[in-house]
Amino acid sequence: MQNIRQQALLARRNLSVEDRASASEFICRKVTESKIFSSAKFVGCYLPMRDEVDTKLIIERGWCANKRIFVPIMRNNGKMFFREIRPDSTLLRNDMSIWEPPSGEIIPPRALQLVVTPTVAFDGNNHRIGMGGGYYDRYFSFLRHRKIWIKPKLFGVAFQCQKAHEITPNPWDIRLYKIFSESN
């Protein structure tokens, strides 16, 4: 798993700024054109770091469509929650250098309808590898035992160069509902 993570991170870092921007725009457009995005009122979406898929277009289009957008707030103790972000929200870096709003409404995980999830590596079976902290897997653990796909729908976003042949999931891993890259 660590080897797949390192290969995917290196591939992502090796993309040119132009290729990353173009692919990010394509990926965001596909997300915002989806039926699930169109019907969702409460959307979770991460704020991009370093060389991740830039999700600002998803956030801006959500605001234009009168959706409420919530971003992850992460703590060093392994806890995560989602706080509302608005166009006029102040952003500060937390202890892990992640941008987040210092104030705003907190939403329970089951109230979110769609969550755009950062993805380090993915495979054709919608398995995901993140940065290794397990934040999303713990926060959305209630999805693990579902009989049908209930909300929220977890959308992974990643560049095609991050695709792995196969990821063997851990028992605690939460499978993504759908993955968007610049090739699909």
Side-chain angles (χ1 to χ4, degrees):
M1 191 90 67
Q2 187 64 21
N3 189 36
I4 294 172
R5 180 181 289 115
Q6 293 305 323
Q7 289 175 354
L9 285 170
L10 180 62
R12 185 172 81 184
R13 286 184 191 123
N14 285 334
L15 287 172
S16 70
V17 172
E18 296 80 16
D19 286 346
R20 192 176 301 117
S22 173
S24 289
E25 184 177 337
F26 180 86
I27 293 164
C28 290
R29 192 172 65 250
K30 295 304 280 183
V31 168
T32 59
E33 290 173 354
S34 72
K35 289 180 183 178
I36 293 170
F37 182 84
S38 294
S39 64
K41 294 291 183 203
F42 303 104
V43 176
C45 188
Y46 70 92
L47 295 171
M49 289 182 16
R50 297 182 296 273
D51 48 15
E52 291 178 321
V53 171
D54 187 342
T55 58
K56 291 176 189 158
L57 184 62
I58 294 170
I59 294 168
E60 290 169 358
R61 287 190 178 175
W63 287 331
C64 288
N66 294 317
K67 298 178 186 307
R68 293 182 65 192
I69 307 295
F70 297 82
V71 297
I73 307 297
M74 300 174 152
R75 296 295 172 248
N76 285 327
N77 63 2
K79 300 288 185 196
M80 179 173 83
F81 54 93
F82 278 74
R83 178 176 281 155
E84 187 168 15
I85 186 173
R86 297 174 185 247
D88 61 349
S89 292
T90 300
L91 297 177
L92 301 173
R93 282 193 190 264
N94 68 14
D95 294 341
M96 299 181 299
S97 294
I98 297 171
W99 290 105
E100 59 186 33
S103 62
E105 183 179 332
I106 305 296
I107 190 169
R110 286 180 165 89
L112 290 165
Q113 295 160 307
L114 164 65
V115 178
V116 178
T117 309
T119 304
V120 172
F122 67 97
D123 69 10
N125 293 314
N126 293 352
H127 295 295
R128 162 192 178 268
I129 295 176
M131 289 300 291
Y135 287 89
Y136 282 80
D137 294 318
R138 280 189 300 278
Y139 193 71
F140 295 109
S141 63
F142 62 90
L143 292 172
R144 189 176 310 118
H145 305 293
R146 65 194 177 277
K147 299 281 188 247
I148 58 170
W149 197 285
I150 55 173
K151 65 180 183 173
K153 305 286 193 280
L154 303 182
F155 279 10
V157 292
F159 303 112
Q160 186 62 30
C161 65
Q162 296 172 254
K163 186 172 186 179
H165 174 68
E166 183 179 11
I167 295 171
T168 304
N170 292 305
W172 57 84
D173 288 339
I174 304 298
R175 195 165 154 248
L176 298 169
Y177 183 77
K178 187 164 179 62
I179 296 173
F180 290 91
S181 75
E182 69 273 25
S183 71
N184 64 3

